[in-house]
Amino acid sequence: MTFKDLEIIAPIQEALDSKGYTIPTPIQQQAIPILLEGRDLLGCAQTGTGKTAAFAIPIIQQLFNSSNTQKRPKHIKALIVTPTRELAIQIADNFTEYSKNTHLKNTVIFGGVKQASQVGQLRQGIDILIATPGRLLDLINQRLLSLRHIEHFVLDEADQMLDMGFINDIKKILRLLPEQRQSLFFSATMPQNIKDLSQTILNNHETVTIKPKQATAEKVGQSVYFVKKSDKTKLLIDLVNENPNDTIIVFSRTKHGADKVVKKLAQVGIKSAAIHGNKSQNARQRALGAFKNGELNILIATDIAARGIDVSELSLVINFDIPNIPETYIHRIGRTGRAEASGNAVSFCDVEERAYLRDIEKLINQKIPIVEEHSYIDDSKESNQKAPSKQKQQARRKGSVNKGRPKNRYSK
Ligand code: AMP
């Protein structure tokens, strides 16, 4: 199947051609026809599957077909709400690229920066708004924008949104949307609370599920190093030195941990930068920009900050810590092997993290190969830890229980 078979209008088709996209990804093949019919959609898919284009293309097409005026729009017609600033910027960039041959205008708003230039953009008139929840509500409260004319609403990364405590903001936003609208709901995982939330948003929807298993197994080479906590930095330095031409993202569970890795690398002359929530928006964008244009080839990131990173040449993901939420592993390794590319993901697992590793292997339904020979092999035996019960896992996600499990390596 090609994009031509999906009956994409010429202006979008040409934009896709110029990006070299001819074959729609599975989520695009399934979602685009449903959305072009005006139906609601529940999409279970993570970043890296091409989901942004899966919703951006049909929204642009529908807006293009319903308004052919070249005048600046009076009302915002499409709203995409997403949890992080990086993701918001990336989605807006995608909209800009796919709609470059149309009259449609978009803008992006997010917190952590002054609002003046965002307000200026809104005042000029836009068709499509990409927003993080806090700033969106802030500007609505100041009566600087209204959602009364929204025709297409996308809630992106719903699971992450709830993890970040945005549930009340989302409920407030929902109350401000018109009843009559097309709604799209995307989440990488579908626990019961996410399903319940989707029911309050969607109406007579279709469902598209792109299994994470496909994304992990097929494209990303995975391996795990059993290593002592105290040897992880040395192992990282060796790997970086062995792969001088790779573009690498190193994941750290905490902000403090990310800064510590940057310092340790600097001590041996390896340049890297950290991106996490304590860094200013400008510092994050600067680091990301340097990484994307090749000035910097190692980025140390926390999970939330990394959600929006889309770097096509990313060749290696290193899990410096094993994530305690198994779905996070899929998100992390999805940063490499995107779309048609292939990549590698290696994980550093200390003895306390082996239970986390088992949770991950259960979720992806495959054993991650162990690197049997390396300089820092940790052959410690695990203390008698059992895998956690379902309830404990859920409680852990909510941050209330950490009994019998490894503590976070660094204080937050
Ligand atoms: P996403 O899941 O939206 O973050 O997209 C993952 C990456 O795949 C992004 O770099 C997109 O630009 C790219 N992409 C999206 N659709 C296609 C396609 N049909 N062919 C090739 N690359 C694509």
Side-chain angles (χ1 to χ4, degrees), residues 5 10 17 26 117 145 186 198 224 227 245 263 279 302 375 383:
D5 302 317
D17 287 347
S117 77
L145 73 93
F186 288 94
S198 75
V224 57
V227 56
N245 300 320
K263 255 193 218 146
K279 300 266 173 192
T302 57
S375 313
S383 58

Side-chain angles (χ1 to χ4, degrees), residues 3 19 21 23-25 28 46-53 90 94 98 310 338-340:
F3 278 109
K19 283 193 71 77
Y21 299 172
I23 315 233
T25 65
Q28 293 162 3
Q46 76 245 31
T47 49
T49 54
K51 82 174 152 80
T52 315
Q90 197 162 290
N94 276 244
Y98 305 142
D310 175 22
R338 313 203 89 193
E340 300 304 308

